[in-house]
Amino acid sequence: MMFKLWYTIIKDVRILLRDKVGILMAIIMPVILVVVVTSIQNSTFELMNKNKLVLLVANQDTGKLSPQLIQSIDKIGMFRVKELAKGSDANALKTKLQAKEAELAVLIPKDFTARVSERAQASANKALKSFGMEGDSLKAAKGSTDPINMYYNPVLQEQIRLSVDGALRSALQLVESRETLRDLYLAINDKPLPDTLEREMLSSKTQIKQVSTSRSGDRLIPNASQHNVPAWTIFAMFFIVMSLGGSVVREKVSGSFIRLKTMPTNFIVGLISKQIVYLGVTMFQALVIFSLGVWLFPVMGLPALNIPSDILGLILVTILTGWCAVSYAICVGVFSKTQEQANGFGAVSIVILAAIGGLMVPSYVVSGPMKLLVNFSPLHWCIEAYYNLFLEGGRFADVISNIIPLIGITLLLQAVTVIALKRKNLI
Amino acid sequence: MESVVSAVHISNLTFRYPGNDAASFTDMNLQVNKGDRFGLFGPNGAGKTTLMNIMTGLIKADGGTVALNGVKVDGHKFRVNHMFGFVPQDFSLYQELSPKENLEFFGAWYGLDRQTIKQRTDELLTVMDLQDVRNKQVQLFSGGMKRRVNLAIGVIHNPSIIFLDEPTVGVDVQTRHAIVNYLLELNSKGTTLIYTSHQLSEAQDLCNQVAMMDQGKIVAHDSLDNLLHAHEQEDLEALFLNLTGKKFRDDV
């Protein structure tokens, strides 16, 4: 049995090595894919994590509060504020946005200081009235301030736009609160609010402590490599269908399967050999892509891939992912009548399974009936296990809940393959 | 004890393809003696390939028994599969591999040990005149060379019975001559040949026993000389037309 298996493995390796297009599809294409996609997505991650958004400000106000507002916006740390020349209007901002000088811009209206002061005074007077301290200072607010217009490039992600909106509100609120506080203090004490007291009153007393839920306790900052390398490695492994599926079809069509059936050897030997050889290919794919992530990406200016601390867990998850990919490819090959069918169905089905499995869009954003469908994609369980290891610092024990469905799908594919081969009278 | 001496013994064979009565058998009986050069002939759709597939265990019969060298095919797959070689009409081999690599792989699947594989591979490459191209991929070969590789694979384990389905189709005269001579040489050493072909002149040179099939039935079975004499025909082609008629039998 082992002797026959050894000769069969040699046969499969030779056929594989002579399939130049298959090797190209299995190794070179995924490498190109992972490098290109990671480079593109890296700019998005850098935008969120490192780079500051350029914010153009056209200040038409001449009062004291608009500089305070600009200073507050600057202090948020999210923006690189570029103030336009005095007198710049909405058209100037729009022109600059359309010229891609920035993605965002803010127009501070000309009566900003006057209106905010009036509203602050009105608020202060309301407060004094409620304390029973009505006096000369009581004035009514004339009306609401003209809105601060925020201009944005339409391609800007909504999430970014909403967080910018929140940041601007926070800066605005600080300016308004400070003004109200100053008026109130002045009315009560007939002297200006001391700086130290102002800082103490306006600064938040409750600290926000950022705690990462990573299992290793590290504060892992997501980057394009950590997300893309595992995802596209899985994609590449499942794309083995282009080579293996076609190989199975060729053997069927050539009549080799029929000849093997007349020989005193169980066909399971043939299936085991194919799985061993192509599992080796998937392992090689993973090794190449992970190595690129660790060593080549930093040279290219991309973030380096951090290999999970649980190396054994990573190896086991990779083996199980590869095994599932190989089982899927053999199954597609058995059901396909021609190589074109195997290649066409194989490629399209992998893209669909990748899409519903969370490789292209995170599966947590999927809702409704699609949420159920996600569970049927083997790629979903693979990516969940990898993310657990790569992004959450998990260990193999933490991914068992992902591994069990993956093994289940793999065994199902194996069973379907054997049943189909028997029904087609090929074994 | 006929089955002990027969290379092939078929008794009361019943088989029916769903929806195709023409290729069905009912209570078919056939015996091929060891050392015979047995030719199975008939028009398209007569059931030759189906019968050969049943004899080699590729298709399971609905009823009756088929035994090779006295061992029932059904239920003794591995034992029976050691006994015979199969040379299908299609090039059932790996075109990406060389003849040497093909022979090594199929030799292993026939259960030969490493030493025997090496020895038989060398012998067959010489006999088939493939030594010069032993390491070239089969896909680069002519049809005749592929046929020789196809035949070599079927005989690598020195089987006592060889099933040959159109072994010379599409080859030139030289290759056909070489293949027929090699088969006659094997037969002279005791190998039973079960042969089917539409090359009736070649069959006349090769076969000593003939069975004519038509519509799932064996309509005549005897030595070639006896059949020609009994039906007053001069050659196998005339005998074929006499027994199966001149009507086209192509089926869709």
Side-chain angles (χ1 to χ4, degrees):
Chain A
M1 169 80 173
M2 290 309 289
F3 179 70
K4 289 176 178 177
L5 180 60
W6 175 242
Y7 267 80
T8 313
I9 289 172
I10 290 173
K11 180 263 292 180
D12 283 326
V13 169
R14 282 172 171 157
I15 291 174
L16 173 73
L17 293 178
R18 285 164 199 177
D19 180 11
K20 300 284 186 290
V21 177
I23 292 174
L24 197 75
M25 297 290 285
I27 308 292
I28 310 295
M29 290 291 283
V31 165
I32 295 171
L33 196 64
V34 77
V35 170
V36 170
V37 176
T38 306
S39 301
I40 292 168
Q41 286 206 349
N42 185 50
S43 51
T44 309
F45 274 95
E46 289 209 330
L47 186 72
M48 299 297 286
N49 296 331
K50 285 184 189 171
N51 292 349
K52 290 180 179 178
L53 282 166
V54 176
L55 180 72
L56 301 179
V57 177
N59 186 6
Q60 296 183 327
D61 179 52
T62 49
K64 60 175 184 174
L65 293 184
S66 56
Q68 286 179 20
L69 174 66
I70 294 168
Q71 195 184 13
S72 297
I73 291 171
D74 199 32
K75 273 188 179 171
I76 293 169
M78 220 176 139
F79 310 105
R80 189 152 56 86
V81 178
K82 285 171 91 173
E83 205 176 334
L84 301 191
K86 281 286 174 195
S88 297
D89 58 5
N91 287 333
L93 285 178
K94 285 178 189 171
T95 306
K96 287 193 178 290
L97 286 187
Q98 283 162 359
K100 307 286 179 201
E101 285 185 31
E103 305 297 325
L104 290 156
V106 166
L107 178 69
I108 302 174
K110 61 182 177 203
D111 57 350
F112 175 75
T113 299
R115 291 294 176 91
V116 169
S117 295
E118 281 170 15
R119 288 214 312 149
Q121 249 183 352
S123 298
N125 288 341
K126 265 188 195 170
L128 287 172
K129 193 177 177 183
S130 69
F131 300 156
M133 297 173 68
E134 212 165 331
D136 294 341
S137 57
L138 186 63
K139 284 179 186 172
K142 278 185 180 171
S144 61
T145 315
D146 281 350
I148 289 181
N149 287 332
M150 184 180 90
Y151 300 89
Y152 63 92
N153 188 326
V155 300
L156 196 69
Q157 287 178 21
E158 193 179 0
Q159 279 178 317
I160 297 177
R161 195 155 44 83
L162 290 174
S163 50
V164 168
D165 187 84
L168 290 177
R169 278 179 197 283
S170 158
L172 200 54
Q173 199 167 14
L174 182 70
V175 171
E176 288 179 350
S177 300
R178 182 190 291 133
E179 201 57 19
T180 305
L181 194 62
R182 282 175 180 172
D183 285 349
L184 200 56
Y185 191 91
L186 185 67
I188 294 170
N189 300 302
D190 282 333
K191 60 179 180 179
L193 175 69
D195 286 349
T196 49
L197 184 59
E198 181 187 294
R199 272 198 298 275
E200 195 181 338
M201 291 183 81
L202 288 175
S203 65
S204 175
K205 302 292 179 296
T206 309
Q207 297 294 316
I208 297 174
K209 190 181 173 190
Q210 294 191 24
V211 181
S212 163
T213 58
S214 85
R215 294 175 204 276
S216 62
D218 297 333
R219 184 170 182 265
L220 299 166
I221 299 171
N223 64 47
S225 301
Q226 294 300 106
H227 274 85
N228 280 300
V229 172
W232 296 108
T233 303
I234 294 168
F235 191 79
M237 286 186 189
F238 275 83
F239 233 71
I240 199 82
V241 70
M242 298 292 281
S243 170
L244 178 52
S247 164
V248 171
V249 173
R250 277 201 302 279
E251 285 196 50
K252 266 194 330 180
V253 173
S254 73
S256 302
F257 272 22
I258 293 294
R259 184 165 220 157
L260 294 176
K261 199 184 169 187
T262 68
M263 296 187 175
T265 299
N266 196 316
F267 193 78
I268 295 299
V269 173
L271 286 180
I272 293 173
S273 166
K274 282 215 182 302
Q275 293 184 43
I276 290 173
V277 170
Y278 283 88
L279 182 61
V281 174
T282 59
M283 293 300 102
F284 184 68
Q285 287 177 311
L287 187 68
V288 168
I289 300 172
F290 289 163
S291 302
L292 286 179
V294 173
W295 288 295
L296 181 69
F297 279 13
V299 177
M300 294 172 64
L302 295 170
L305 176 73
N306 296 310
I307 296 294
S309 56
D310 186 0
I311 297 289
L312 183 65
L314 176 65
I315 292 170
L316 287 172
V317 169
T318 307
I319 288 174
L320 291 170
T321 300
W323 187 35
C324 188
V326 168
S327 305
Y328 181 77
I330 293 176
C331 197
V332 168
V334 166
F335 278 96
S336 302
K337 289 193 171 117
T338 63
Q339 223 171 316
E340 289 74 21
Q341 254 184 29
N343 291 348
F345 176 79
V348 173
S349 65
I350 293 304
V351 172
I352 292 170
L353 288 173
I356 63 173
L359 269 74
M360 295 172 182
V361 179
S363 50
Y364 60 77
V365 301
V366 178
S367 59
M370 287 297 285
K371 193 87 181 165
L372 184 69
L373 208 59
V374 164
N375 298 318
F376 291 99
S377 169
L379 283 78
H380 166 70
W381 300 110
C382 298
I383 196 70
E384 288 294 310
Y386 265 152
Y387 279 170
N388 210 321
L389 295 174
F390 275 95
L391 296 176
E392 297 173 31
R395 304 188 70 78
F396 186 69
D398 301 317
V399 299
I400 284 179
S401 59
N402 307 127
I403 289 306
I404 289 171
L406 184 62
I407 293 174
I409 291 172
T410 305
L411 293 177
L412 183 69
L413 289 167
Q414 298 267 339
V416 169
T417 299
V418 172
I419 291 167
L421 283 170
K422 279 191 184 294
R423 284 178 68 96
K424 289 170 186 276
N425 201 29
L426 291 169
I427 59 170
Chain B
M1 297 292 286
E2 278 181 338
S3 61
V4 174
V5 293
S6 300
V8 179
H9 189 93
I10 296 173
S11 59
N12 304 319
L13 181 71
T14 305
F15 177 79
R16 187 174 296 275
Y17 268 122
N20 186 358
D21 285 345
S24 299
F25 313 129
T26 307
D27 283 334
M28 177 186 282
N29 293 289
L30 179 70
Q31 187 181 317
V32 180
N33 292 326
K34 285 183 178 176
D36 274 355
R37 302 188 302 274
F38 176 80
L40 187 60
F41 305 104
N44 289 339
K48 304 183 298 293
T49 301
T50 303
L51 183 58
M52 202 172 259
N53 285 343
I54 291 172
M55 286 192 276
T56 53
L58 288 172
I59 300 177
K60 203 170 173 339
D62 295 330
T65 58
V66 177
L68 301 187
N69 292 335
V71 180
K72 283 184 184 172
V73 170
D74 193 16
H76 301 89
K77 176 178 156 46
F78 281 12
R79 204 172 148 202
V80 167
N81 285 2
H82 272 291
M83 296 175 184
F84 72 87
F86 179 49
V87 182
Q89 184 180 344
D90 296 325
F91 298 123
S92 302
L93 41 77
Y94 295 96
Q95 307 242 7
E96 305 92 329
L97 301 183
S98 70
K100 176 177 169 283
E101 291 163 348
N102 266 294
L103 287 166
E104 285 173 349
F105 166 68
F106 284 109
W109 269 59
Y110 271 124
L112 304 182
D113 59 48
R114 197 183 301 269
Q115 184 60 34
T116 312
I117 289 172
K118 192 173 180 304
Q119 181 196 327
R120 286 291 292 155
T121 298
D122 223 38
E123 280 172 22
L124 287 165
L125 289 173
T126 304
V127 168
M128 298 293 167
D129 196 19
L130 295 167
Q131 281 290 9
D132 291 345
V133 291
R134 57 187 286 140
N135 293 317
K136 291 199 187 312
Q137 289 184 37
V138 172
Q139 60 194 353
L140 305 171
F141 288 8
S142 67
M145 291 162 87
K146 286 179 183 173
R147 282 273 161 230
R148 272 137 59 197
V149 180
N150 205 31
L151 174 61
I153 290 168
V155 301
I156 190 169
H157 58 306
N158 275 322
S160 60
I161 305 168
I162 305 174
F163 291 93
L164 302 134
D165 189 2
E166 304 264 12
T168 58
V169 69
V171 302
D172 60 18
V173 175
Q174 284 80 5
T175 303
R176 177 177 297 136
H177 186 254
I179 289 176
V180 168
N181 280 349
Y182 180 66
L183 292 173
L184 287 171
E185 188 189 326
L186 288 178
N187 177 253
S188 69
K189 293 173 185 166
T191 307
T192 305
L193 307 179
I194 314 282
Y195 167 91
T196 180
S197 175
H198 290 292
Q199 310 281 342
L200 296 182
S201 59
E202 170 190 301
Q204 193 157 349
D205 295 338
L206 186 65
C207 301
N208 61 356
Q209 288 284 318
V210 168
M212 286 289 175
M213 279 191 80
D214 198 10
Q215 297 186 332
K217 291 183 178 63
I218 293 175
V219 293
H221 176 208
D222 206 336
S223 71
L224 180 59
D225 290 341
N226 286 350
L227 284 176
L228 292 175
H229 183 72
H231 293 272
E232 298 177 339
Q233 300 296 326
E234 287 193 352
D235 57 27
L236 188 56
E237 187 166 328
L239 177 70
F240 183 94
L241 290 172
N242 179 262
L243 288 170
T244 61
K246 292 184 178 176
K247 196 179 164 195
F248 290 122
R249 302 300 182 84
D250 296 309
D251 199 7
V252 179

